[in-house]
Amino acid sequence: MASRGQRRLVPESRARLDDLKYEIAAEFGLPVYNPQYTHIQPKADSEFAAELGEFAGSENVAWRDLTSRQNGSVGGEITKRLIQSAERSLSEYGTL
Protein backbone atom coordinates (compact mmCIF):
# COMPACT_ATOMS: atom_id res chain seq x y z
CA MET A 1 0.00 0.00 0.00
CA ALA A 2 2.67 2.52 0.93
CA SER A 3 5.22 3.08 -1.78
CA ARG A 4 8.94 3.11 -1.18
CA GLY A 5 10.07 6.00 0.95
CA GLN A 6 6.68 6.49 2.58
CA ARG A 7 6.33 5.85 6.28
CA ARG A 8 3.06 4.87 7.92
CA LEU A 9 2.00 7.20 10.69
CA VAL A 10 0.06 4.40 12.39
CA PRO A 11 1.65 1.03 11.52
CA GLU A 12 -1.16 -0.82 13.32
CA SER A 13 -3.62 0.46 10.71
CA ARG A 14 -2.37 -1.98 8.09
CA ALA A 15 -4.45 -4.91 9.37
CA ARG A 16 -7.66 -2.86 9.52
CA LEU A 17 -7.08 -1.44 6.03
CA ASP A 18 -6.54 -4.96 4.69
CA ASP A 19 -9.77 -6.09 6.36
CA LEU A 20 -11.59 -3.13 4.82
CA LYS A 21 -10.10 -3.89 1.40
CA TYR A 22 -11.34 -7.50 1.41
CA GLU A 23 -14.71 -6.49 2.85
CA ILE A 24 -15.27 -3.98 0.04
CA ALA A 25 -14.06 -6.44 -2.59
CA ALA A 26 -16.62 -8.97 -1.36
CA GLU A 27 -19.36 -6.31 -1.40
CA PHE A 28 -18.44 -5.49 -5.00
CA GLY A 29 -18.49 -9.19 -5.88
CA LEU A 30 -14.79 -9.43 -6.62
CA PRO A 31 -13.54 -12.97 -5.98
CA VAL A 32 -10.24 -11.95 -4.41
CA TYR A 33 -8.19 -14.53 -2.55
CA ASN A 34 -7.89 -13.61 1.13
CA PRO A 35 -5.15 -15.63 2.82
CA GLN A 36 -6.57 -14.75 6.24
CA TYR A 37 -9.56 -17.07 5.74
CA THR A 38 -7.99 -20.06 4.01
CA HIS A 39 -7.90 -22.02 7.26
CA ILE A 40 -11.69 -21.66 7.57
CA GLN A 41 -12.73 -22.39 4.01
CA PRO A 42 -10.62 -21.70 0.91
CA LYS A 43 -13.50 -20.36 -1.17
CA ALA A 44 -15.20 -18.31 1.54
CA ASP A 45 -14.72 -14.96 -0.23
CA SER A 46 -16.28 -16.06 -3.49
CA GLU A 47 -19.13 -17.80 -1.66
CA PHE A 48 -19.89 -14.59 0.24
CA ALA A 49 -19.82 -12.62 -3.00
CA ALA A 50 -22.13 -15.17 -4.63
CA GLU A 51 -24.59 -14.68 -1.77
CA LEU A 52 -24.67 -11.01 -2.67
CA GLY A 53 -25.49 -12.03 -6.23
CA GLU A 54 -22.43 -10.36 -7.66
CA PHE A 55 -20.17 -13.29 -8.48
CA ALA A 56 -21.03 -16.45 -10.31
CA GLY A 57 -17.56 -18.00 -10.43
CA SER A 58 -16.10 -20.57 -8.10
CA GLU A 59 -12.42 -19.62 -7.83
CA ASN A 60 -10.70 -16.85 -5.95
CA VAL A 61 -8.18 -14.73 -7.84
CA ALA A 62 -5.25 -12.54 -6.85
CA TRP A 63 -5.44 -8.74 -6.88
CA ARG A 64 -3.07 -8.66 -9.87
CA ASP A 65 -5.62 -10.62 -11.91
CA LEU A 66 -8.30 -7.94 -11.55
CA THR A 67 -8.61 -5.00 -13.90
CA SER A 68 -7.33 -1.56 -13.00
CA ARG A 69 -10.91 -0.37 -12.86
CA GLN A 70 -11.86 -3.06 -10.32
CA ASN A 71 -8.84 -2.36 -8.14
CA GLY A 72 -9.44 1.37 -8.43
CA SER A 73 -13.06 1.01 -7.38
CA VAL A 74 -11.96 -0.77 -4.20
CA GLY A 75 -9.36 1.92 -3.47
CA GLY A 76 -11.89 4.68 -4.13
CA GLU A 77 -14.43 3.09 -1.81
CA ILE A 78 -11.78 2.74 0.92
CA THR A 79 -11.00 6.44 0.59
CA LYS A 80 -14.68 7.35 0.64
CA ARG A 81 -15.30 5.34 3.81
CA LEU A 82 -12.22 6.71 5.56
CA ILE A 83 -13.35 10.26 4.82
CA GLN A 84 -16.87 9.50 6.07
CA SER A 85 -15.41 8.00 9.23
CA ALA A 86 -13.20 11.04 9.81
CA GLU A 87 -16.10 13.43 9.23
CA ARG A 88 -18.26 11.45 11.64
CA SER A 89 -15.64 11.47 14.36
CA LEU A 90 -14.98 15.20 13.86
CA SER A 91 -18.69 16.00 14.06
CA GLU A 92 -19.00 13.99 17.28
CA TYR A 93 -16.47 16.29 18.88
CA GLY A 94 -18.16 19.41 17.53
CA THR A 95 -15.24 20.54 15.40
CA LEU A 96 -16.95 20.14 12.05
Side-chain angles (χ1 to χ4, degrees):
M1 299 227 333
S3 65
R4 280 183 261 161
Q6 289 184 333
R7 181 178 58 90
R8 284 194 205 291
L9 295 177
V10 183
E12 299 82 15
S13 67
R14 182 179 187 94
R16 178 59 188 126
L17 286 173
D18 280 345
D19 290 344
L20 186 59
K21 178 173 67 172
Y22 286 106
E23 177 184 321
I24 291 169
E27 288 175 13
F28 286 174
L30 301 175
V32 181
Y33 169 76
N34 188 346
Q36 180 180 0
Y37 298 112
T38 56
H39 66 284
I40 299 171
Q41 186 173 356
K43 297 180 182 176
D45 289 339
S46 58
E47 287 183 12
F48 177 68
E51 288 177 15
L52 293 174
E54 299 291 329
F55 176 64
S58 61
E59 294 297 320
N60 290 319
V61 298
W63 287 104
R64 68 178 178 269
D65 297 327
L66 298 177
T67 65
S68 296
R69 183 180 192 122
Q70 291 170 319
N71 282 314
S73 66
V74 172
E77 185 67 21
I78 289 172
T79 303
K80 178 180 160 185
R81 291 186 188 186
L82 290 174
I83 290 171
Q84 288 173 343
S85 175
E87 287 175 342
R88 221 177 6 260
S89 66
L90 286 173
S91 67
E92 287 175 7
Y93 295 109
T95 58
L96 186 66

